Amino acid sequence: MTVWDDLVGQERVSEVLTAAARDADALVTAAAADRPLPESSKMTHAWLFTGPPGAGRDQTARAFAAALQCVSPDRALGGTPGCGFCDGCHTALVGTHADVTTVAAVGAEILVKDMRDTVRKSYTSPANGRWQIILVEDAERLNEKSANAVLKAVEEPAPRTVWLLCAPSLEDVLPTIRSRCRHLNLRTPSVEAVADMLVRREGIEPEAAASAARATQGHVDRARRLATDPAARERRAAVLRLPLRLDEVGACLKAAQELVDAAGEDAKQLAEEMDGKETEELKAALGAAQGGRLPRGTAGVMKDLEDMQKRRRTRTQRDSLDVALTDLTGFYRDVLALQLGSRVAIANADAEDVLERLARAGSPESTLRRIEAIAACRDALDRNVAPLLAVEAMTMALRAG
């Protein structure tokens, strides 16, 4: 199983990256033998992966990183880089390769202090791999200072350094950065392709796989979670019941509180899994004895960790809310499709009776207003409006229609 097998519905992109990885091999070989570099190479030092949510931007970039670090002996015999089994591929895929650094937004932005060490590392030679690779998963969240730090590193890269940036669209990245990257745009995988992946890779029954793929409209990660996690299915079912509960003001406020509480519970669970472990590991690294006091001068380091964990909890809560809002948008999209007599396939086929009831009770205009209310809630959350206020305003607007 090669690293490219994880990319769902991205055959064209896989072909481009495979060719680039082959040329990258030739570049490394030529440099090691002190030969002239090959001309017309498809490999470059900076790549920008864009595409809609769920298309697999991060997975594609990580698969490419694995292919660049592949040390399979089959490469010398003409095999495709990215075997998926060698130490280079495995460690790059699981995130433990010494020469693959991943940067992801902990809070709403990637701060310049989060990028300083990474930019500094980009100018060093690979420790034991073939390339020094910097993978920025949320390039759209670079603020002005951190984006300028990345720009300087991309403008003047080290010879064996590759930058892999991921963002929803070209417009989400500074023009000066994107002009120095090779751009690859990923498409939303088809429902059929996602369902096939769930059957082959996760062992899901075909009917359940098709239902999860259809409900998430080609979002690979959410489809996998929906098909394999009963709690995720229950949360989605609760969200889809929400439109039937908004018959009075009190019910709107209660529904909003429940949505925010559920998102907060997700953030709390993640914090319980990660925060304690991170804190103990940092204390051990700083030389604190088991259950003892921290050495002098380390309180600031611990405070930085606590601030990072707080930012992560906030983002986790907002990301969880965003999933619920995406489900609601899909629900009202189905209502609108029924009202307009569209032939577009219904995403929430398991709630077809409810969809038909709401379609008969309202008009296309009111459904569009409800979809706009959900979009307004998402915009408010992006502007750091208090989640409960934003969701309460949305539920009241959904009730008014």
Side-chain angles (χ1 to χ4, degrees):
M1 183 182 69
T2 70
V3 298
W4 312 111
D5 292 340
D6 279 337
L7 308 188
V8 182
Q10 309 298 342
E11 290 77 11
R12 180 190 64 82
V13 170
S14 297
E15 290 175 4
V16 171
L17 294 178
T18 299
R22 288 184 186 278
D23 284 353
D25 258 2
L27 290 172
V28 173
T29 302
D34 199 23
R35 295 199 305 265
L37 297 179
E39 296 183 0
S40 304
S41 173
K42 297 180 177 63
M43 183 60 189
T44 187
H45 73 285
W47 297 76
L48 175 58
F49 300 89
T50 64
R57 298 186 301 262
D58 299 346
Q59 292 91 333
T60 301
R62 190 164 294 282
F64 186 40
L68 293 177
Q69 302 291 20
C70 182
V71 292
S72 168
D74 291 342
R75 291 179 4 268
L77 303 176
T80 301
C83 65
F85 295 104
C86 71
D87 185 65
C89 285
H90 175 71
T91 54
L93 290 175
V94 301
T96 59
H97 197 292
D99 297 315
V100 179
T101 301
T102 301
V103 179
V106 175
E109 295 180 331
I110 299 178
L111 306 178
V112 67
K113 68 178 183 180
D114 299 328
M115 290 301 304
R116 285 197 187 106
D117 290 342
T118 301
V119 169
R120 193 178 299 116
K121 185 177 181 180
S122 75
Y123 288 107
T124 64
S125 298
N128 51 28
R130 302 167 66 79
W131 297 88
Q132 185 73 259
I133 298 174
I134 312 297
L135 197 168
V136 183
E137 292 186 347
D138 307 288
E140 76 279 8
R141 294 179 184 264
L142 291 165
N143 64 20
E144 182 179 357
K145 291 182 178 180
S146 57
N148 286 334
V150 171
L151 173 60
K152 185 176 181 181
V154 172
E155 281 180 327
E156 303 171 359
R160 295 275 289 279
T161 294
V162 181
W163 284 83
L164 308 179
L165 309 180
C166 303
S169 70
L170 279 173
E171 289 70 27
D172 290 312
V173 181
L174 281 179
T176 47
I177 292 180
R178 67 186 188 230
S179 66
R180 290 163 173 79
C181 299
R182 183 171 182 186
H183 174 225
L184 287 178
N185 186 51
L186 282 68
R187 63 181 184 178
T188 300
S190 68
V191 170
E192 292 75 19
V194 176
D196 179 65
M197 179 276 296
L198 292 174
V199 172
R200 289 186 297 104
R201 301 297 302 277
E202 306 294 337
I204 306 299
E205 291 295 326
E207 185 175 345
S211 177
R214 187 169 56 248
T216 56
Q217 290 295 285
H219 193 299
V220 178
D221 289 339
R222 289 188 57 215
R224 182 184 288 112
R225 191 176 305 118
L226 200 61
T228 58
D229 184 1
R233 291 194 292 272
E234 179 53 38
R235 283 195 296 270
R236 174 176 171 271
V239 169
L240 297 186
R241 290 193 295 268
L242 184 143
L244 297 177
R245 300 170 51 197
L246 307 179
D247 51 353
E248 56 184 29
V249 173
C252 293
L253 301 180
K254 182 179 179 182
Q257 185 69 64
E258 289 175 358
L259 274 182
V260 173
D261 287 347
E265 187 62 29
D266 283 347
K268 181 181 177 182
Q269 288 179 3
L270 179 65
E272 289 175 350
E273 293 172 5
M274 301 182 66
D275 290 2
K277 180 181 178 182
E278 288 174 344
T279 300
E280 291 305 316
E281 288 178 349
L282 182 57
K283 285 181 178 179
L286 294 174
Q290 185 75 24
R293 290 186 176 183
L294 286 167
R296 288 181 179 273
T298 60
V301 179
M302 294 302 301
K303 180 64 166 57
D304 288 343
L305 176 63
E306 291 169 4
D307 289 344
M308 182 275 290
Q309 292 172 341
K310 182 178 179 181
R311 286 159 49 207
R312 183 172 61 202
R313 284 194 293 271
T314 300
R315 185 184 174 191
T316 302
Q317 182 183 29
R318 294 180 188 275
D319 287 348
S320 181
L321 274 176
D322 192 66
V323 171
L325 298 180
T326 299
D327 287 335
L328 269 180
T329 301
F331 180 89
Y332 282 112
R333 165 197 170 276
D334 287 346
V335 172
L336 184 63
L338 292 174
Q339 289 171 332
L340 297 177
S342 171
R343 295 184 179 180
V344 175
I346 298 299
N348 299 286
D350 51 342
E352 191 167 358
D353 292 345
V354 176
L355 293 171
E356 290 179 348
R357 190 193 322 171
L358 292 180
R360 290 192 299 268
S363 65
E365 292 78 13
S366 64
T367 302
L368 282 172
R369 286 194 294 270
R370 290 181 170 111
I371 292 174
E372 289 170 356
I374 299 170
C377 180
R378 300 176 82 163
D379 289 341
L381 292 172
D382 285 341
R383 296 194 307 272
N384 289 324
V385 173
L388 184 57
L389 290 178
V391 178
E392 284 179 347
M394 179 196 73
T395 55
M396 294 294 289
L398 293 179
R399 175 177 178 268

